[in-house]
Amino acid sequence: MRQLGILGGMSWESTASYYRLLNQGVRERLGGLHSAPLLLHSVNFAEIAELQRRGDWAAAGELLARAAQGLQQAGATALLLATNTMHKVAPALEAAVDIPLLHIGDAVGQALQRQGVQRAALLGTRFTMQEDFYRQRLAERFAIEVITPAPVQMSEIDRVIFAELCQGQFLPPARDFYLACLRTLREQGAEVAILGCTEIGLLLEGVDAPLPLLDSAEVHVAMGLEWLLGS
C-alpha cells in the first residue's frame, strides 16, 4: 500500500471520521489485521478560523502549505485535505508539494456524474456556498449546476457548523433546520444534496432526508482508498 497524508483538524471531528473510514475501508478490502498507512498533520482550527474570519486566505494557504510539505517530507505519496472550505487554498498546497492533492471537488463531481446528476444542492460553510472555488469546479469539470440556500438560511447553516458541529454538538433543532432547507432546495429542482462540510454528514447520519445525500467526506475517503490500494 502507498502511504497517504491527511491534513486535518478543521475540525478534528471530521478528521476523526476520515481516520476511521480509511482504516475501515482497508480492513474491508484486505481483511485480517490490515490497516491504513497514514500520516496525519492536525492543525489548530482556531488559527484557521480566525484567518477565515479576517479573509486572510493567503496566510491560511501558507500555513497549510507548510504542513503539506511536512507530510511529503515524512513520506506521504498523496494528500487528503480533510475539509471542504479549505480547498479554497488548494492551489497553494499544490504549488508547495510534488505529490498529488486528491481534491474533494473531483471526488464529489465524479460521484455525481456516475449518478447522472445535473443539478445539485450544496450545504456547507458560507465560504463554500458563496464563493466560486467549489461551484465553479463542479460546473467546469463535470457540467453540474449547483444551487444554494437563501442568504438567511446560509447564515444559520454556517452558524450551526461553527457553533455546534465543530464543537461536537449534533442537536435535533439543527437537524430539523437542515432538513427544512433540503425540502426547499428540492422544490427548486435539486436532484441530490451535497453535504459540503465534512461535519454535516455526522449531523444527518441515518435520517430520512427529502433529497438523496452525497456525503463529501465519504466520497473523498473512497478516493483516498483507491490511492492507498493502488487502484
Side-chain angles (χ1 to χ4, degrees):
M1 282 186 284
R2 298 163 168 169
Q3 191 157 239
L4 182 64
I6 303 175
L7 185 48
M10 300 164 278
S11 69
W12 67 261
E13 296 282 349
S14 66
T15 306
S17 292
Y18 270 75
Y19 181 82
R20 174 176 54 81
L21 291 169
L22 285 163
N23 279 290
Q24 285 177 345
V26 168
R27 182 175 63 190
E28 289 167 2
R29 296 190 189 197
L30 300 183
L33 297 177
H34 285 288
S35 57
L38 303 172
L39 295 167
L40 171 62
H41 185 127
S42 185
V43 302
N44 179 1
F45 188 36
E47 296 178 8
I48 298 293
E50 176 59 20
L51 292 172
Q52 290 177 345
R53 188 190 66 79
R54 287 169 17 202
D56 195 347
W57 296 100
E62 290 174 7
L63 190 158
L64 295 185
R66 289 194 298 271
Q69 289 171 337
L71 289 169
Q72 178 179 333
Q73 291 165 7
T77 61
L79 296 175
L80 280 184
L81 179 57
T83 164
N84 283 270
T85 298
M86 293 313 295
H87 276 76
K88 179 175 171 63
V89 300
L93 273 66
E94 291 169 324
V97 296
D98 300 318
I99 57 177
L101 173 70
L102 307 181
H103 199 290
I104 200 168
D106 293 339
V108 168
Q110 290 164 12
L112 291 172
Q113 270 195 339
R114 287 193 295 269
Q115 296 176 23
V117 172
Q118 296 180 317
R119 198 172 199 216
L122 174 62
L123 301 184
T125 67
R126 62 184 174 89
F127 307 110
T128 299
M129 292 185 288
Q130 289 178 343
E131 300 193 26
D132 64 4
F133 70 94
Y134 204 99
R135 292 181 287 109
Q136 186 172 332
R137 194 177 190 97
L138 291 178
E140 292 181 351
R141 297 194 174 203
F142 303 99
I144 294 167
E145 180 187 358
V146 174
I147 60 174
T148 54
V152 172
Q153 292 176 319
M154 272 192 192
S155 179
E156 178 62 8
I157 290 168
D158 185 80
R159 185 201 67 78
V160 167
I161 289 170
F162 286 95
E164 298 180 18
L165 307 188
C166 289
Q167 305 287 339
Q169 299 176 31
F170 305 98
L171 305 176
R175 188 174 298 115
D176 292 343
F177 179 79
Y178 275 55
L179 292 175
C181 291
L182 291 176
R183 283 191 288 272
T184 301
L185 291 163
R186 179 188 61 192
E187 293 167 0
Q188 295 172 358
E191 303 165 63
V192 170
I194 304 164
L195 305 186
C197 171
T198 42
E199 288 84 4
I200 297 176
L202 301 173
L203 176 69
L204 298 183
E205 187 174 6
V207 304
D208 183 15
L211 280 170
L213 303 179
L214 182 71
D215 189 326
S216 60
E218 290 184 359
V219 296
H220 202 202
V221 164
M223 177 180 276
L225 283 170
E226 293 303 310
W227 180 269
L228 275 172
L229 299 172
S231 301

